[in-house]
Amino acid sequence: MSDILLISLSGEDHPGVTAGIAAILAEQGVNVLDIGQAVIHDTLSLGMLVEIPAGCDAAPLRAAVEACAAELGMRARISQVDEHSYAEWVGAQGRPRYIITLLARKLSADQIARVTRVVSAHQLNIDSITRLSGRIPLGELPAQSKACVEFSARGPLPDAADFRRELLEVASELDIDLAFQQDNMYRRNRRLVAFDMDSTLIEAEVIDELAKRAGVGEQVSAITERAMRGELDFSESFRARVALLEGLEETALATVAGELKITEGAEHLISTLRALGYRTAILSGGFTYFARFLQQRLGIDYVFANELEIEHGRVTGRVTGDIVDGQRKAQLLRRLAEAEGIDLQQVIAVGDGANDLPMLSIAGLGVAFRAKPLVKQSAEQSISTLGLDAILYLLGFSDRYQRGA
């Protein structure tokens, strides 16, 4: 019968620790059943679950490992694992796995405690905790700082909706974002990202900005806000708002486009996605003129929006073609996925308004970004604390692998 040992080492990190221990085990033909290693602030933690071959005396092996660890300035702990316990551990590998992503400007112990308390209450085991964000300096936070920790958990989860609800309650109370996903093959295999434009890629509602220059700002803003909250039919409200722009000079469009403020993290996100081979699209209930402007600036692949009719240098108060409302966005998303030859599970959709919900609901990853309450409650994932590039964390990309990070 083989012996199974769990070897745990900790201490100051320096080259040769893993090599030294592994060499001792190799001399006896030991099989490695599991291995894990992490370094936090130059302190190494190494764990190895090993099988000692039948006929091999484990006592001298233990002594050799402990001596090697002591020589390297490490603390060693070696414990016996019985076969029944090992068999149960192996059997647990088929259990569902989940990823909980914590997003904040700065991490605190309270955040970790509250999140892990929810995980524990639902009988999930945390297998690993990984920091995806870069190291944060002491003192005053740098501008637009980012902090992200990813928890990998496993176990049966009878009521996923209740688990998600409790996470959202914690997120709301602590002013953080918490994303909850199944850890499946699609998570790191998304291929297309579709964005709403107004209040998502840019920090403005373009129609409101045009309305200010047309002298009807308050009227249009009131209609816009009601539509985004889902209180009005989008197409009907859109036509009513566009009609109020009648007579606006065409030159106002270029002025507004030049003043648009790109949302925090948008440029970093899209440049990284492009480097990784993702395709990107704008599916907007706004205007093509501004979507094309962003397409050139950010390097977006596809653009679908509303065509604002202009005659004799002035806005007519009408749009041409089909209005891109919520249902139209979902249709376009399906067509893009088909054109790219990918499954909808490989699609990410990002938006903030009620008219974005149809496309958020059919995408493999739907993200409500700095969204209205109705949208935030309805969407599967929500980001309000950080910028758009926090989406990279939801895909499992740490800062060290991000373009320009």
Side-chain angles (χ1 to χ4, degrees), residues 69-84:
E71 184 178 341
L72 293 168
M74 307 292 289
R75 293 178 296 277
R77 179 175 179 272
I78 304 174
S79 55
Q80 186 88 25
V81 176
D82 64 66
E83 291 192 3
H84 177 71

Side-chain angles (χ1 to χ4, degrees), residues 100-107 111 132-133 146-151 171 174-179 382-387 389-394:
I100 300 101
T101 310
L102 190 164
L103 304 165
R105 290 297 181 185
K106 189 172 185 178
L107 293 175
Q111 295 165 0
L132 299 183
S133 55
K146 300 183 293 182
C148 175
V149 168
E150 176 184 281
F151 303 85
L174 299 181
D175 194 24
I176 60 175
D177 291 318
L178 289 170
S382 176
I383 295 175
S384 299
T385 306
L386 304 183
D389 51 353
I391 289 171
L392 294 170
Y393 293 142
L394 302 191

